[in-house]
Amino acid sequence: MIRIIPDLIDAAGVKALRTILDRADWIDGNETSGPQAALAKRNQQLPEFGDAAVEAGRMVIDALGRSPLFMAAALPLKIYPPFFNRYSGGEAFGDHIDNAVRMRRGTDFRIRSDLSATLFLADPDSYEGGGLVIEGMAEAPGLKLPAGHLILYPSSTVHRVEPVTGGVRVASFMWIQSMIRDQAQRNLLFDLDLGVQGAAAAMGQGDPTVVRLTGVYHNLLRQWADA
């Protein structure tokens, strides 16, 4: 299931991130590519352990933790520290599937990639092309969200970034290992969570029906979660 998280980062936050990114030194994006991705990938990327990536990544992780919608949709157990990339001059990333397991170089940090996320950091009108196309997504020319919006999608899907033919496309991307490995179970919990929130808003948190539905949610989470 594809989820859009609007306004994960507000305009001021996007400006602060872009100040960091636009002053940084960028490298060839294939520095961190696997064999399959390297054949399809043409872009630039911030060095993973550079000061700019670490500072900006911390800001993104903080924003994710403050988003109830992201937390409900992803139910994250681990989040790989965010990467940052940019495309210009015809650069693109052809069809690929993200690696099932990501290991951070020089550390013992390892993650199973259940979900992939792209956080847009450039206004759609500031670049031409560069749409994100995800297998099964209705938008044929690709998705271009406002700066600060995030899209969450299964890492198992084939996806690509269309060539950027004008301007510069800047984004952050990351992978999430969910507490709920099964996508159908994760979708069910998301829908139930939204239903519980709606019932609580209408009837009050202490209403017996709301209490019972909340219990169902947590008992299913208890049964299915790896935590």
Side-chain angles (χ1 to χ4, degrees), residues 21-22 24-27 42-46 84-88 91 164 168-171:
L21 303 183
D22 293 344
D25 294 323
W26 296 74
I27 60 173
R42 290 182 294 117
N43 66 9
Q44 293 185 307
Q45 191 169 295
L46 284 188
F84 297 87
N85 60 19
R86 68 182 184 185
Y87 296 77
S88 62
E91 291 176 326
V164 174
V168 181
R169 178 192 190 271
V170 181

Side-chain angles (χ1 to χ4, degrees), residues 146-200:
H149 285 37
L150 178 137
I151 185 168
L152 190 66
Y153 52 97
S155 299
S156 56
T157 54
V158 176
H159 54 280
R160 67 180 183 271
V161 176
E162 298 281 75
V164 174
T165 56
V168 181
R169 178 192 190 271
V170 181
S172 175
F173 64 99
M174 66 218 77
W175 302 281
I176 298 100
Q177 179 173 333
S178 177
M179 291 186 290
I180 307 298
R181 182 171 187 164
D182 183 85
Q183 182 177 322
Q185 292 175 344
R186 195 165 56 244
N187 291 340
L188 181 62
L189 285 169
F190 179 77
D191 289 339
L192 180 56
D193 191 3
L194 293 188
V196 170
Q197 292 179 39

Side-chain angles (χ1 to χ4, degrees), residues 192 195-196 199-200 203-220 222:
L192 180 56
V196 170
M203 298 184 288
Q205 193 69 49
D207 183 272
T209 299
V210 174
V211 172
R212 186 170 294 275
L213 285 173
T214 302
V216 171
Y217 174 86
H218 285 286
N219 285 333
L220 286 174
R222 184 176 291 113

Side-chain angles (χ1 to χ4, degrees), residues 51-198:
D51 291 342
V54 171
E55 182 181 0
R58 189 179 302 116
M59 294 168 65
V60 173
I61 291 292
D62 287 346
L64 294 172
R66 294 193 301 268
S67 171
L69 185 58
F70 170 80
M71 299 300 288
L75 292 169
L77 178 63
K78 298 179 185 178
I79 302 175
Y80 198 100
F83 284 102
F84 297 87
N85 60 19
R86 68 182 184 185
Y87 296 77
S88 62
E91 291 176 326
F93 198 160
D95 284 344
H96 65 285
I97 296 175
D98 292 336
N99 291 352
V101 177
R102 303 289 311 198
M103 299 183 66
R104 201 169 194 214
R105 291 179 300 170
T107 76
D108 59 0
F109 184 83
R110 181 172 59 185
I111 186 172
R112 182 188 68 238
S113 59
D114 297 320
L115 295 164
S116 300
T118 297
L119 172 64
F120 290 79
L121 295 172
D123 289 323
D125 293 340
S126 69
Y127 60 97
E128 298 173 6
L132 175 63
V133 179
I134 303 169
E135 183 179 47
M137 186 177 69
E139 293 86 349
L143 198 65
K144 296 172 64 171
L145 296 179
H149 285 37
L150 178 137
I151 185 168
L152 190 66
Y153 52 97
S155 299
S156 56
T157 54
V158 176
H159 54 280
R160 67 180 183 271
V161 176
E162 298 281 75
V164 174
T165 56
V168 181
R169 178 192 190 271
V170 181
S172 175
F173 64 99
M174 66 218 77
W175 302 281
I176 298 100
Q177 179 173 333
S178 177
M179 291 186 290
I180 307 298
R181 182 171 187 164
D182 183 85
Q183 182 177 322
Q185 292 175 344
R186 195 165 56 244
N187 291 340
L188 181 62
L189 285 169
F190 179 77
D191 289 339
L192 180 56
D193 191 3
L194 293 188
V196 170
Q197 292 179 39

